[in-house]
Amino acid sequence: MNDTPNRTPLTADVERHLLDSVGVAPAEASPSDLLQAVSLAAREQLSRRWVASTAADRHAKARRVVYLSMEFLMGRTLGNALAALGLEGPAADAAQAHARTLEDLQAHEPDAALGNGGLGRLAACFLDSMAALGLPSFGYGIRYEFGMFAQSIQGGRQVEHPDPWLENGTPWEFPRPDVAWPVRFGGWVEHPQGPGGPAVWHPAGTVNAKAYDMVVPSHHDERVSTLRLWRAAAPAHIDLTAFNSGDYARAAEFKNQFENISWVLYPNDSTPAGRELRLRQEYFFTSASLQDVLARHMAEHGRLDNLHEAVAIHLNDTHPAIGVAELMRLLLDEHALPWARAWAITQATFSYTNHTLMPEALETWPVGLIQSVLPRHLEIVYRINHEFLLQAARHRPGDNAFLQRLSLIDESGERRMRMAHLSIVGSHKINGVSALHSQLLVNTIFSDFAAIWPERFTNMTNGVTPRRWLAQANPALAALLDESIGTAWRRDLDRLADLAPLADDAAFRERFGAIKRANKARLAARLQRELGVPLDPDSLFDVQVKRIHEYKRQLLNVLHVVTRYLAIIAEPQRSWVPRTVLFAGKAASSYVAAKTIIRLIHDVASVVNHDLRVAGRLAVAFVPNYGVSVAEALMPAADLSEQISTAGTEASGTGNMKLALNGALTIGTDDGANIEIREAVGDDNIFIFGLRTPEVEARRREGYRPGQIAAAHPTLQQVLDAIGGGLFSPDEPGRYRGLVDSLLQVDHYLLLADYADYVATQQRVDALFTDAAAWQAKAVRNVAGMGPFSSDRTIAQYAREVWRVQRGG
Ligand code: 26V
């Protein structure tokens, strides 16, 4: 051990854990040993907070919010825990005592990547804000043994690797061996008291859901929130029977049939899997969570008819929608409530958020599959549907088409259960995630429901936690804010507005600019090390990071890159504003078009980055394995934030908020939360381009002809010819012919319609960047405008308007 300048109590705790828990001589501790020991030292403090908070809530019989989500993209925990506990300094000292930095240790912590993208990361930001606001709250999800696949790039192509994040255990979970619920599947249903009465379900199999808790600390006080994740375990007697007969292989196989439920996250956010295992996952975690909620309620209240007064249960998209039928089943069959009472409680308890308008992402399940996996739930949904349609018929007597559109069952082909409809009918509040998206919900996919229940539909614009996305990710900027406007922004992000006057202060801008420059240099060094690509920190860092999807239009960005490449070659003597275009994102493994886009980005990068004619003026890099930790490195280093989805397709976006919060300027369409960002920062501090939603709709209605656009625009035609003709794939000139043909013939997301305005807007971006003072002033005004995009604001709004929960004691 080295000299210890600051031997804090934490350093002593760390030494103790090295010896007693990790089992290593402190002098020989490796970075991962140290990570383990520091984590355990923080964990014990979280444990005490958890015990105190939950006891207080139990005592107060506090009204709680329960957030049901199939995904929680938590990322790493140590940095967040240390910040919340006020232990960042002591932890750095403890690391230093072993001649390490805290960053060295943190790099060894795997991300908890239990989610796909925006929906999952939003759930993680929400937990942070629930804790920050002191709301009595539980998140519930699945303890996937394998999270989101890790992405590597081989020969320009995405390769997926399993993510065994629990391989070496995690110090952050608290197994609760006493908390386990049976979840049943299949079998048949008996009605001893006739068809309307309580039923007896004779399942074909039962799996145990075992609880593992993660503690979510508040950054402001001692309160915590809980993320309870369920692991599927075969009932104990199963192993025994097979073991007794000596057939170990069969015993193992049998056990797997149960335990596979919590093995792997479905890595697809484009189209529903439509697989039985996915349905089993959804029911598994929803049923376990509801049983847990009811047991807690019974322990505190001794009766269920006031459930809705004590708990608000939120459906994060339709993945837990079967919960509507499950709560009914529990109330009817296990607690003998009458139908009308059970239904009133259910509707008063649930609320639902929709996260996408993409028709292909709306979940439906074949009725035959539900019949075989959840026979009792199918009966219950039929009855809910029957009573709902009777009620709906009174709104539009004789309008059968109306009823068919509303029905919980789609009868147009193979009969399917519409999970969004079940969520709406079972909830008292339904929201979208930005003003535009919520408006589009009531005007388009949910318009028939809005006609019946206009008061149920509302908007809750997304937000992001400033703890992770500013304080942790960008400590230098956070320190500058503390110094210039005080620390109040840390509790109340609206105080960032106090920065606005400093946009006109040259000395402040200078320091603000220097922090951005340092963040860019750090990222450049890392990418040099990891990818071998040299990047110039003085160039404009143009960043598009998000799942790879056609509607998000990474391909439009590529069209601009190629446009710029050809222009520089054509006019080498002009003075070009140096640009580094950075991409990151994963494609669903089965999404061929998205994978082709990744390959094209790599092909373009390798030609551009090796062409001396554009050296120092244009570089392209794809950062592999995008996830929470990669995002924490990218957000603070961006100058320009690409938010270029076709208007009307991106429900909200949250990367747009993280980037602006770190001082990036947005180039974006009139879509999702971009619209509200524009309102917050002002038209002069954002670059909005392209068709608006009604114009997109009009173009499609009129019969959109992308080929005509290309024919009328020589530069665009050249760019398409270059890509389609193999300029970037000389070894296989036809590689992108199909991609280009489909743009020319279909172009479902109207890239060609927005191309000219996009490229012109990029030229305005260049012009501004040459004026550093003007650019920095706008960047400062972006940070100043981000107050409304704190997830604290979002959660306070849900708490007041949807959940009616208040701060706990
Ligand atoms: C879709 C699906 C489709 C069916 C099966 C499983 C599955 C899992 C995930 C998804 C993702 C679509 C929902 C989603 O992530 N939406 C994003 O939600 C963000 C938070 O509200 C929002 O900012 C993004 O705009 C929106 O795309």
Side-chain angles (χ1 to χ4, degrees), residues 414-754:
E414 179 198 26
R415 300 173 72 238
R416 303 180 75 95
M417 191 180 287
R418 295 162 161 162
M419 305 314 276
H421 292 205
L422 178 58
S423 304
I424 294 171
V425 170
S427 297
H428 61 287
K429 285 281 179 202
I430 299 114
N431 72 281
V433 291
S434 71
L436 174 69
H437 170 63
S438 297
Q439 194 58 53
L440 290 172
L441 284 181
V442 304
N443 291 344
T444 64
I445 57 174
F446 297 156
S447 61
D448 292 319
F449 289 98
I452 308 181
W453 297 312
E455 70 291 347
R456 286 196 196 180
F457 289 84
T458 182
N459 172 243
M460 297 283 143
T461 298
N462 283 166
V464 302
T465 171
R467 270 75 62 186
R468 184 170 296 257
W469 296 112
L470 177 52
Q472 259 171 255
N474 201 342
L477 179 57
L480 177 65
L481 297 178
D482 287 345
E483 191 189 317
S484 349
I485 58 169
T487 58
W489 64 272
R490 289 174 180 267
R491 279 168 159 282
D492 173 8
L493 204 68
D494 285 330
R495 297 296 298 275
L496 287 181
D498 299 345
L499 265 183
L502 294 173
D504 303 314
D505 175 334
F508 178 82
R509 282 197 312 259
E510 220 45 19
R511 297 181 65 191
F512 183 91
I515 289 168
K516 178 65 77 182
R517 173 69 170 68
N519 292 337
K520 289 164 71 177
R522 188 169 336 102
L523 178 67
R526 170 174 169 171
L527 297 183
Q528 170 74 265
R529 210 166 51 236
E530 292 176 4
L531 304 179
V533 189
L535 302 179
D536 171 12
D538 290 315
S539 64
L540 187 166
F541 277 22
D542 173 347
V543 172
Q544 188 172 22
V545 291
K546 49 185 79 243
R547 284 298 288 257
I548 312 292
H549 256 285
E550 289 162 283
Y551 84 82
K552 294 177 188 283
R553 302 200 295 190
Q554 282 92 355
L555 187 52
L556 179 59
N557 189 339
V558 173
L559 295 183
H560 165 248
V561 169
V562 172
T563 304
R564 183 172 288 255
Y565 173 68
L566 297 178
I568 298 174
I569 291 172
E571 280 190 274
Q573 67 296 340
R574 242 185 70 185
S575 92
W576 294 93
V577 178
R579 250 203 219 224
T580 299
V581 184
L582 295 169
F583 293 88
K586 291 174 182 174
S589 30
S590 58
Y591 192 168
V592 175
K595 288 184 145 178
T596 304
I597 292 168
I598 291 180
R599 191 161 192 208
L600 174 62
I601 292 169
H602 283 90
D603 280 343
V604 169
S606 94
V607 168
V608 167
N609 297 346
H610 290 105
D611 190 332
L612 293 175
R613 293 171 297 176
V614 301
R617 295 149 161 206
L618 183 61
V620 180
F622 185 97
V623 184
N625 203 31
Y626 187 60
V628 174
S629 290
V630 171
E632 286 171 29
L634 284 166
M635 300 298 175
D639 292 307
L640 186 65
S641 159
E642 297 270 355
Q643 308 299 335
I644 59 176
S645 50
T646 313
T649 63
E650 188 69 274
S652 161
T654 48
N656 46 4
M657 302 170 188
K658 294 161 198 167
L659 285 157
L661 183 61
N662 283 280
L665 271 59
T666 301
I667 181 166
T669 45
D670 202 65
D671 200 17
N674 297 351
I675 297 173
E676 288 152 84
I677 291 176
R678 172 194 206 163
E679 285 161 8
V681 305
D683 283 1
D684 293 345
N685 301 301
I686 192 168
F687 295 95
I688 299 293
F689 71 94
L691 298 176
R692 292 153 191 256
T693 304
E695 294 161 348
V696 168
E697 287 163 359
R699 286 292 193 99
R700 285 184 173 151
R701 237 188 351 260
E702 291 158 7
Y704 174 59
R705 293 264 179 283
Q708 291 179 356
I709 298 180
H713 197 311
T715 316
L716 171 57
Q717 189 64 63
Q718 259 179 29
V719 166
L720 294 174
D721 289 345
I723 297 170
L727 182 62
F728 304 99
S729 51
D731 54 323
E732 187 192 344
R735 186 175 296 157
Y736 301 110
R737 193 66 255 169
L739 184 73
V740 168
D741 284 345
S742 129
L743 273 184
L744 287 167
Q745 284 153 28
V746 186
D747 189 18
H748 184 62
Y749 294 105
L750 287 84
L751 282 71
L752 302 198
D754 277 343

Side-chain angles (χ1 to χ4, degrees), residues 1-8 11-12 15 90 92-99:
M1 217 189 313
N2 288 15
D3 281 348
T4 53
N6 287 310
R7 210 183 148 77
T8 65
T11 304
E15 306 302 308
D93 292 341
Q96 205 211 322
H98 293 262

Side-chain angles (χ1 to χ4, degrees), residues 39 71 73 93 125 259 300 355 498 557 633 721 742:
S39 300
E71 305 190 357
L73 254 179
D93 292 341
C125 285
E259 309 207 331
E300 287 176 15
H355 292 269
D498 299 345
N557 189 339
D721 289 345
S742 129

Side-chain angles (χ1 to χ4, degrees), residues 71 116-120 122 268-273 278 317 319 355-356 361 363 433 462 551-552 650-654:
E71 305 190 357
N116 271 279
L119 168 148
L122 186 77
N268 196 335
D269 69 349
S270 325
T271 44
R278 166 82 186 190
D317 218 297
H319 314 149
H355 292 269
T356 179
E363 273 190 305
V433 291
N462 283 166
Y551 84 82
K552 294 177 188 283
E650 188 69 274
S652 161
T654 48

Side-chain angles (χ1 to χ4, degrees), residues 136-160:
S137 49
F138 267 89
Y140 279 107
I142 297 176
R143 181 182 175 276
Y144 299 106
E145 195 130 341
F146 295 88
M148 188 62 195
F149 66 80
Q151 175 196 57
S152 74
I153 302 295
Q154 290 171 22
R157 276 184 282 217
Q158 167 175 298
V159 178
E160 299 101 21

